[in-house]
């Protein structure tokens, strides 16, 4: 991506394009989640912790969209619950 910007339009290649906060957060996730899982303290596979979701969330913030964290987490939790129930139901119906 950086090479494409540097080749096509170097003037638009700025540090603002680099998601610094997200990078720090993702590195933290990759350090904390395995540690918590090792000691049985976390179920790490929640939708709000997935990388694409975090990228979307950071993009919304950069574009000025206000996404309240509580709403974001609650919506993700509800979607996980619905997804798990739907998946288990389909699996039980096909067995």
């Amino acid at each position: 991506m950086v090479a494409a910007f540097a080749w096509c339009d170097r003037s638009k290649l700025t540090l603002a394009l680099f998601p610094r906060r997200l990078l720090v957060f993702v590195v933290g996730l990759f350090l904390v989640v395995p540690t918590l899982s090792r000691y049985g303290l976390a179920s790490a596979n929640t939708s709000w912790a997935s990388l694409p979701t975090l990228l979307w969330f950071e993009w919304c913030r950069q574009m000025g969209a206000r996404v309240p964290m509580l709403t974001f987490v609650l919506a993700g939790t509800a979607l996980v619950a619905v997804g798990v129930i739907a998946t288990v139901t389909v699996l039980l119906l096909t067995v």
Side-chain angles (χ1 to χ4, degrees):
M1 183 72 82
V2 172
F5 267 102
W7 184 64
C8 293
D9 191 357
R10 187 172 288 253
S11 66
K12 292 186 179 178
L13 185 60
T14 65
L15 283 177
L17 293 174
F18 185 71
R20 294 173 300 279
R21 289 185 306 168
L22 181 62
L23 180 65
V24 171
F25 184 69
V26 169
V27 169
L29 274 178
F30 281 107
L31 294 174
V32 171
V33 169
T35 303
L36 292 176
S37 296
R38 181 177 178 186
Y39 295 104
L41 300 174
S43 59
N45 295 324
T46 57
S47 66
W48 62 269
S50 70
L51 186 56
T53 305
L54 293 172
L55 289 170
W56 169 84
F57 186 73
E58 184 66 22
W59 182 80
C60 286
R61 282 188 169 177
Q62 286 181 353
M63 294 295 130
R66 185 177 174 274
V67 182
M69 185 56 79
L70 181 61
T71 303
F72 182 68
V73 171
L74 291 177
T77 303
L79 289 171
V80 166
V82 170
V84 168
I85 291 169
T87 302
V88 170
T89 301
V90 169
L91 287 172
L92 289 175
L93 290 174
T94 58
V95 173

